[in-house]
Amino acid sequence: MSLLDIRERISNARSVAVLTGAGISADSGVPTFRGTDGLWKNFRPEELASPDAFERDPKLVWEWYNWRRELLSTKTPNAAHEAIVQLEKQIENFWLITQNVDGLHRTAGSTNMSEIHGNIWKVRCTNCGTIAPNHDVPIDILPHCPNCQGLLRPHIVWFGESLAQEDLDASFRALQNCEILLIIGTSGLVYPAASFAPIAKEHHAFIVELNLDPTPNSNLVDISFQGRAKDLVPLLLPS
Ligand code: BJW
Ligand code: ZN
């Protein structure tokens, strides 16, 4: 089966879900998590993206986020992000589930979406829970809540933390109802997103994976294409 066949299937589908990971933003120059260019000062992301790390050393964790915010502020969506916006416009029932916190899907114009791991351009008060947009580059370290002076943290889901129930509900709804699931640029290692392909399969979705390399999902999906997201995703757009 070729990409052209998949395009044909998509053009006839009434419901499509898309799951994206860091690979889609790699084509915009954003480092992936498990690639070596994702390292900062020799820390692995797993060492910094946790509530324990923030409790131990909030300044260090905020410095890491400042490094990433600075880098991201120079990046723009690529052809793959843009193709997904077009899919949303053309498919009757469309839902994008992204693990990315970089906000590039939103910048590109996607709206029917769940950012299941949060967004690096939002902050949350550790005291009163208020969530607010924040685009400061760099952000003042340590940032405090204008309402209650509590310490602000990134509005991001760290390891060991639960995803927002409304994001899980919207994701499960999309996975259970889609005719086609596209999985783009994720290593498929992090839960609960790692269980999304099996859920869609149980509900008889046709699953297509697009990734530079094979992943744990490759054996489960109906078809897997190897290549760059920015080259492959635009080829799936119904003409
Ligand atoms: C290209 C490309 C190009 C490159 N084109 N492709 C069940 C079993 C075992 C463990 C658990 C479990 N349930 C929960 C856990 C614990 C944990 C977990 O999954 N651990 C695993 C590592 C085993 N999960 C959690 O803690 C989650 N919480 C949760 O489940 O709560 C309930 C609970 C808690 C505890 C126990 C049990 C239940 C929360 C997970 C939140 C993860 N958040 C992160 C960090 C955010 C920090 C930040 O950004 O600031 O989100 S982890 C990190 O990985 C980030 C990403 O969104 C996520 C996924 O990574 P992704 O996107 O797949 O990137 P990479 O780098 O891994 O892969 C890139 C891919 O792109 C590669 O495949 C490349 O080939 C490809 N690629 N260039 C196309 N140009
Ligand atoms: Zn507050």
Side-chain angles (χ1 to χ4, degrees):
M1 200 179 287
S2 70
L3 273 165
L4 281 181
D5 297 322
I6 308 297
R7 184 172 80 175
E8 179 73 19
R9 266 184 179 256
I10 291 176
S11 68
N12 291 321
R14 290 186 57 217
S15 56
V16 172
V18 178
L19 169 65
T20 64
I24 193 167
S25 294
D27 285 334
S28 293
V30 181
T32 63
F33 282 88
R34 289 160 189 89
T36 47
D37 55 353
L39 292 180
W40 173 75
K41 292 188 180 175
N42 288 329
F43 288 99
R44 291 157 50 77
E46 291 84 344
E47 294 173 62
L48 298 164
S50 79
D52 287 351
F54 191 68
E55 204 161 300
R56 212 169 31 243
D57 196 344
K59 191 165 169 283
L60 176 76
V61 173
W62 264 120
E63 280 169 358
W64 177 51
Y65 279 99
N66 256 345
W67 172 72
R68 291 175 58 202
R69 284 161 74 107
E70 206 160 305
L71 189 123
L72 280 171
S73 66
T74 66
K75 307 301 179 200
T76 50
N78 63 59
H81 295 102
E82 281 155 14
I84 289 174
V85 177
Q86 293 311 314
L87 274 184
E88 176 178 327
K89 290 187 179 146
Q90 293 175 18
I91 308 287
E92 199 174 321
N93 293 304
F94 178 89
W95 200 257
L96 167 63
I97 305 165
T98 186
Q99 299 170 83
N100 299 345
V101 301
D102 55 34
L104 288 178
H105 282 297
R106 209 173 277 285
T107 307
S110 286
T111 56
N112 290 356
M113 66 184 290
S114 303
E115 291 175 308
I116 61 170
H117 292 163
N119 187 305
I120 199 167
W121 302 110
K122 290 182 183 169
V123 292
R124 185 167 85 238
C125 177
T126 56
N127 184 48
C128 70
T130 303
I131 298 165
N134 181 303
H135 284 82
D136 297 351
V137 177
I139 199 167
D140 279 342
I141 292 177
L142 290 167
H144 285 91
C145 175
N147 301 332
C148 76
Q149 297 311 310
L151 178 61
L152 295 177
R153 59 165 280 177
H155 182 50
I156 283 182
V157 183
W158 288 327
F159 282 111
E161 295 186 313
S162 297
L163 280 65
Q165 193 57 47
E166 68 171 296
D167 291 333
L168 285 173
D169 290 345
S171 300
F172 291 142
R173 221 174 12 251
L175 295 162
Q176 288 164 359
N177 292 315
C178 64
E179 287 164 48
I180 301 177
L181 171 65
L182 306 177
I183 304 180
I184 305 168
T186 174
S187 59
L189 295 173
V190 174
Y191 286 85
S195 66
F196 288 180
I199 292 173
K201 195 179 170 85
E202 257 174 50
H203 288 80
H204 312 293
F206 181 80
I207 309 182
V208 181
E209 178 183 60
L210 307 175
N211 198 303
L212 262 189
D213 296 313
T215 75
N217 280 324
S218 303
N219 289 329
L220 174 138
V221 301
D222 292 283
I223 186 150
S224 184
F225 293 97
Q226 258 103 69
R228 291 191 177 283
K230 76 169 169 46
D231 299 329
L232 298 183
V233 187
L235 299 177
L236 297 179
L237 279 182
S239 44

